[in-house]
Amino acid sequence: MTFASFLINLYSHVPRLNFQFHWTKDIFNFDWSSEYFQALALVACLGAAVSLLLLVTIIIVWICQACRKNETTGKTRRLVRRLSTVLFIISVLCFFMLGICLFANEHVNRGVTISIDSVTNTKKSYQISMTQISLFQEAALNATVNLKTLEDTVHLESKKTKNATIVQQIDQILTNITDEIDIIAKNGKLFQAKHDDDIGTLENIRKFLSLYESERWAFLVLFLSITMCIMFAGVVSFCKQSKQGAVVFSSVGFFIFVVTWLLISVSLPLTIALTDFCRDGDQVTRKNLGNMYETVQFYNTCVPVTTHDNLPLPIASHVALLNNIPASKSQLDRLMEVAFNSSAAITNSSSAVGNDITKLLKLAGGVSSSSSCYVFHDNVVNFYYGICNQSVAGMNIYMMSIFTLGLLLFVLLIVVSKTWKLFSRLPHEYVEVDEDDPFFPRGLNDANIPVDIYGTHVMNPRTRDRTEPSTNTTSGTADEATAPLWSQNLTSSLVNNSMSRQPFMSDHQYNNYEDRYNM
């Protein structure tokens, strides 16, 4: 037992209840008014109810968290670290489930692609087979015309011969050959009319599968990719412990959660329908394939061999009518040679009929080779293999992974609401330097900062009141004394040549003020 067959048997135990909650006996059926469709609708409603319950729970928790008083006394670094670690672990599990969903999506796509390719190959082979049958039927019609001409010629030549017994045998053999070829022509026409829509049916199946699979695959890849990007942004905000990032992730994750559970509500009934099709899909297959159903069932169960006699019953009976004609034609030629002594008219008409019969035999070989079991068997088997093996396994893996993802998103959205009060808002990237900058404390006394870094204070009168030693960064101050310039000894030449300084207005009359007024 394969994994797919195990899943098909497992899903057969899922109850199928109609709107009256009674167990329905209706098997796989896509009719909108059928009880089977009601059962699928109830399964979808069950998934929607569970998602609505979880959604209401998230909203209630969020409202309670938003109305909760912001208490900073319990806001410890250890609690924040633990919370960010829990969120990181849940996010990693979500990434793991998203990866499994992508794998399952590709698995389903591969299975449906195998089925689409098998339908395409079956259509091409069927077209070749129908063309051979059409040529076979046209050759039979042409043979009936030449047989009619041979009968008329035999009737004319029989009046010249006296061997009535041989003429009667010739007429009987001609009648048998004509009837058999006429049956071949009529059956070929009926077979073409009966299976004229088969090519269109195969094309409709191919278009439906291609359209459905392309839209399904593209939507899931797009949704899962967007979810991965959002989860990555959430992980970054959790690692940075950013309050703003956690709030934005909560709002976007809410919509991701809703879409995920909508997918769960739709995917579950589709998975059940797929397993039911693989188990009890004969009724729907017969309805959609029509006259081609028996042919498809034959090619699905036949054993392919290299011989050309393993054909569907309608085609086999159609070709079998030609089996006795070559022997009858040989006997007819011998009798006509004896009866009519190689008459030119008889010879020409018989030669035309012989050419038609030879052409019929060649075309019968073409019909047998183009309609044999080994031509269609692999394509039909691959169709069921792609749908009922690869796609069933992929859909179930996808169903389990996206269900687990929905539960993890529920837990993640509940836990992330705790970060609204615990995480802090991150500062801006560029902060204006204020008076309390630890790397440049502007409040300190500027006098403690030396100004003679490059020796520019030399001969500068502004530095006469300063007593800081030189940094000795220039050659002019490297070996000089540290005393101010005015306290250093001057040379004798400067002293001798300098003038003595007299008091201001020393010779003025008001300079003896005290002598004049002191009594």
Side-chain angles (χ1 to χ4, degrees), residues 1-17:
M1 177 182 293
T2 61
F3 178 66
S5 60
F6 169 76
L7 293 173
I8 291 173
N9 294 330
L10 180 64
Y11 275 92
S12 64
H13 299 290
V14 176
R16 276 76 168 171
L17 304 178

Side-chain angles (χ1 to χ4, degrees), residues 376-405:
F376 292 91
H377 176 75
D378 291 340
N379 291 326
V380 175
V381 170
N382 286 336
F383 175 82
Y384 284 99
Y385 172 77
I387 293 294
C388 297
N389 190 295
Q390 297 294 308
S391 296
V392 168
M395 280 296 294
N396 282 274
I397 295 174
Y398 162 76
M399 187 63 217
M400 291 183 289
S401 60
I402 197 170
F403 179 75
T404 306
L405 177 64

Side-chain angles (χ1 to χ4, degrees), residues 59-70 417 420-421:
I59 294 175
I60 293 175
V61 171
W62 282 11
I63 292 174
C64 295
Q65 189 67 31
C67 297
R68 185 180 178 184
K69 185 178 179 181
N70 189 9
S417 63
W420 298 350
K421 300 299 177 69

Side-chain angles (χ1 to χ4, degrees), residues 213-465:
E213 180 56 24
S214 61
E215 298 295 332
R216 185 201 65 82
W217 180 85
F219 174 77
L220 283 181
V221 169
L222 182 62
F223 171 73
L224 295 175
S225 300
I226 293 174
T227 304
M228 279 190 171
C229 295
I230 295 173
M231 291 300 301
F232 180 77
V235 169
V236 172
S237 63
F238 300 152
C239 294
K240 289 185 176 181
Q241 299 177 2
S242 170
K243 177 181 179 180
Q244 183 178 3
V247 172
V248 173
F249 174 79
S250 300
S251 59
V252 180
F254 182 82
F255 293 100
I256 296 296
F257 173 81
V258 172
V259 177
T260 301
W261 277 95
L262 286 177
L263 288 176
I264 294 173
S265 302
V266 175
S267 301
L268 181 58
L270 288 179
T271 305
I272 294 175
L274 181 61
T275 56
D276 289 343
F277 167 77
C278 296
R279 189 181 66 253
D280 299 317
D282 290 341
Q283 181 178 351
V284 175
T285 305
R286 183 186 297 272
K287 181 180 179 180
N288 288 277
L289 293 181
N291 296 322
M292 195 171 53
Y293 174 77
E294 288 81 6
T295 304
V296 171
Q297 292 300 315
F298 168 79
Y299 287 126
N300 187 33
T301 56
C302 68
V303 178
V305 292
T306 56
T307 59
H308 297 166
D309 55 352
N310 197 0
L311 301 171
L313 182 60
I315 299 177
S317 59
H318 185 62
V319 175
L321 294 173
L322 198 63
N323 293 337
N324 298 325
I325 291 180
S328 299
K329 179 62 173 59
S330 299
Q331 185 180 3
L332 178 64
D333 290 338
R334 289 194 301 268
L335 292 175
M336 287 191 299
E337 185 177 358
V338 172
F340 304 112
N341 196 15
S342 300
S343 173
I346 294 294
T347 302
N348 292 334
S349 298
S350 177
S351 178
V353 171
N355 291 334
D356 290 338
I357 292 176
T358 302
K359 186 177 181 180
L360 281 174
L361 291 173
K362 293 180 179 179
L363 290 174
V367 171
S368 299
S369 61
S370 61
S371 304
S372 185
C373 174
Y374 68 87
V375 177
F376 292 91
H377 176 75
D378 291 340
N379 291 326
V380 175
V381 170
N382 286 336
F383 175 82
Y384 284 99
Y385 172 77
I387 293 294
C388 297
N389 190 295
Q390 297 294 308
S391 296
V392 168
M395 280 296 294
N396 282 274
I397 295 174
Y398 162 76
M399 187 63 217
M400 291 183 289
S401 60
I402 197 170
F403 179 75
T404 306
L405 177 64
L407 294 179
L408 289 174
L409 287 175
F410 170 74
V411 177
L412 183 62
L413 292 178
I414 292 294
V415 177
V416 78
S417 63
K418 303 291 184 181
T419 63
W420 298 350
K421 300 299 177 69
L422 292 178
F423 285 178
S424 60
R425 184 183 297 272
L426 291 178
H428 297 287
E429 186 175 359
Y430 298 100
V431 182
E432 191 69 23
V433 177
D434 55 5
E435 297 295 334
D436 298 330
D437 183 26
F439 298 100
F440 188 69
R442 297 182 181 180
L444 298 178
N445 188 6
D446 293 339
N448 296 329
I449 302 176
V451 297
D452 54 345
I453 299 177
Y454 298 105
T456 55
H457 63 291
V458 179
M459 302 300 293
N460 188 353
R462 295 181 182 178
T463 62
R464 292 175 179 179
D465 295 334

Side-chain angles (χ1 to χ4, degrees), residues 37-83:
F37 192 82
Q38 294 178 10
L40 294 181
L42 282 180
V43 173
C45 291
L46 176 62
V50 174
S51 62
L52 182 62
L53 179 62
L54 297 177
L55 192 64
V56 171
T57 304
I58 292 175
I59 294 175
I60 293 175
V61 171
W62 282 11
I63 292 174
C64 295
Q65 189 67 31
C67 297
R68 185 180 178 184
K69 185 178 179 181
N70 189 9
E71 298 179 355
T72 59
T73 56
K75 182 179 177 182
T76 61
R77 184 178 298 273
R78 180 178 296 178
L79 182 60
V80 173
R81 188 185 301 113
R82 289 178 179 177
L83 186 60

Side-chain angles (χ1 to χ4, degrees), residues 44-248:
C45 291
L46 176 62
V50 174
S51 62
L52 182 62
L53 179 62
L54 297 177
L55 192 64
V56 171
T57 304
I58 292 175
I59 294 175
I60 293 175
V61 171
W62 282 11
I63 292 174
C64 295
Q65 189 67 31
C67 297
R68 185 180 178 184
K69 185 178 179 181
N70 189 9
E71 298 179 355
T72 59
T73 56
K75 182 179 177 182
T76 61
R77 184 178 298 273
R78 180 178 296 178
L79 182 60
V80 173
R81 188 185 301 113
R82 289 178 179 177
L83 186 60
S84 60
T85 303
V86 171
L87 291 173
F88 178 79
I89 293 174
I90 297 175
S91 301
V92 170
L93 293 177
C94 289
F95 273 114
F96 186 69
M97 290 297 108
L98 286 171
I100 296 178
C101 287
L102 287 173
F103 166 76
N105 185 42
E106 293 296 328
H107 204 281
V108 175
N109 180 259
R110 182 179 62 182
V112 177
T113 301
I114 292 174
S115 298
I116 293 174
D117 292 340
S118 66
V119 172
T120 302
N121 295 332
T122 301
K123 176 189 171 184
K124 294 178 181 179
S125 300
Y126 205 83
Q127 286 177 333
I128 296 173
S129 177
M130 293 298 295
T131 301
Q132 294 295 326
I133 293 175
S134 177
L135 294 175
F136 186 66
Q137 187 260 343
E138 291 177 1
L141 288 176
N142 293 330
T144 55
V145 174
N146 291 327
L147 283 171
K148 180 65 177 175
T149 302
L150 180 60
E151 287 181 357
D152 295 338
T153 304
V154 168
H155 289 163
L156 292 175
E157 295 293 332
S158 64
K159 296 177 181 179
K160 300 177 183 180
T161 184
K162 298 180 180 179
N163 197 344
T165 303
I166 297 178
V167 171
Q168 187 177 2
Q169 293 178 357
I170 292 173
D171 186 66
Q172 183 64 37
I173 293 173
L174 271 176
T175 302
N176 293 336
I177 294 175
T178 303
D179 291 342
E180 289 178 353
I181 293 181
D182 191 33
I183 292 173
I184 291 174
K186 291 180 179 179
N187 288 347
K189 188 175 182 179
L190 291 175
F191 184 85
Q192 286 181 328
K194 186 177 181 181
H195 296 274
D196 189 36
D197 297 333
D198 292 349
I199 303 297
T201 301
L202 292 174
E203 180 63 20
N204 292 333
I205 294 173
R206 187 195 66 81
K207 288 182 178 180
F208 173 77
L209 289 177
S210 299
L211 179 62
Y212 167 78
E213 180 56 24
S214 61
E215 298 295 332
R216 185 201 65 82
W217 180 85
F219 174 77
L220 283 181
V221 169
L222 182 62
F223 171 73
L224 295 175
S225 300
I226 293 174
T227 304
M228 279 190 171
C229 295
I230 295 173
M231 291 300 301
F232 180 77
V235 169
V236 172
S237 63
F238 300 152
C239 294
K240 289 185 176 181
Q241 299 177 2
S242 170
K243 177 181 179 180
Q244 183 178 3
V247 172
V248 173

